Amino acid sequence: MSHDPSDPALRTEALEALLTERGVVEAPAIDRLIAYYEEQVGPMNGARVVARAWSDPAYRARLLTDGRSAIAELGFEGPQSEHLVVVENAPGVHNVVVCTLCSCYPWPVLGLPPSWYKDPAYRSRIVREPRAVLAEMGLALDEATEIRVWDSSAEVRYLVLPERPAGSEGLAEDALAGLVSRDAMIGVARIPPP
Ligand code: FE
């Protein structure tokens, strides 16, 4: 680690040391929180939700009707998912998620947001020119495809249910989950055939 005073890791360490020393926080509690977000929470949770929806039509229907409850069925719940809405991609319809105001994101299913998601350029441009931004990110959609941009808020968080790729028909749920990327669940990528 570099010891540049502006290094965020160093500043975080100093802040943690100070708060611990003053008795504001306890080191084991911070360790538990970090381990939780490193090991238990991340896009692998959302991937399991998507794989279940692809495998089980009744689950898919519940997921699209009441995202929060259907996701809680798999054990994923917590802050930033109280009102979780799942939007489904289909031929001719592509969904993409943003938070124009800040960085609202469905933590329990996707973990913490990537830095580009918090970038002011993504947040403003994806609304004005979604087709161009998606193309720059490697997802070229033809003019006939309708793009729906969903603006997250403190109230509502969104998860994209991507299209199941061709060639995945014979795959079991675990293998399907392995195909699902974080970016596909934000809506800036498609899932390539296995
Ligand atoms: Fe936000």
Side-chain angles (χ1 to χ4, degrees):
M1 191 180 82
S2 101
H3 278 210
D4 178 340
S6 67
D7 186 325
L10 186 66
R11 286 163 59 193
T12 306
E13 220 169 87
L15 193 63
E16 183 183 335
L18 196 67
L19 291 172
T20 307
E21 194 184 291
R22 302 257 169 111
V24 177
V25 299
E26 289 178 353
I30 293 179
D31 290 344
R32 276 198 304 276
L33 195 69
I34 292 171
Y36 180 68
Y37 276 97
E38 277 183 351
E39 294 156 23
Q40 311 284 325
V41 180
M44 65 281 195
N45 293 0
R48 285 195 41 213
V49 171
V50 170
R52 175 67 55 87
W54 285 346
S55 309
D56 178 347
Y59 181 79
R60 173 180 156 274
R62 290 201 296 283
L63 184 67
L64 295 172
T65 308
D66 181 349
R68 192 202 59 78
S69 300
I71 285 166
E73 283 179 39
L74 301 190
F76 309 134
E77 45 197 337
Q80 308 246 351
S81 70
E82 291 84 353
H83 300 280
L84 218 158
V85 172
V86 178
V87 289
E88 184 182 37
N89 287 347
V93 179
H94 185 86
N95 295 282
V96 60
V97 179
V98 64
C99 177
T100 54
L101 216 56
C102 45
S103 58
C104 298
Y105 195 70
W107 293 354
V109 278
L110 292 185
L112 300 175
S115 55
W116 58 259
Y117 185 85
K118 299 179 268 186
D119 190 320
Y122 173 77
R123 285 159 37 206
S124 58
R125 290 187 60 225
I126 194 74
V127 175
R128 291 199 314 269
E129 40 176 356
R131 210 174 298 274
V133 173
L134 291 176
E136 285 168 27
M137 295 177 87
L139 177 61
L141 296 171
D142 56 47
E143 288 296 326
T145 298
E146 179 195 344
I147 302 175
R148 297 179 184 161
V149 181
W150 299 89
D151 191 359
S152 311
S153 68
E155 292 294 311
V156 185
R157 307 296 156 97
Y158 297 94
L159 181 76
V160 174
L161 175 57
E163 279 184 86
R164 182 171 176 161
S168 67
E169 292 75 13
L171 297 182
E173 210 174 303
D174 279 352
L176 286 173
L179 302 177
V180 182
S181 66
R182 176 197 70 196
D183 286 3
M185 293 182 281
I186 303 175
V188 299
R190 267 198 179 133
I191 299 174

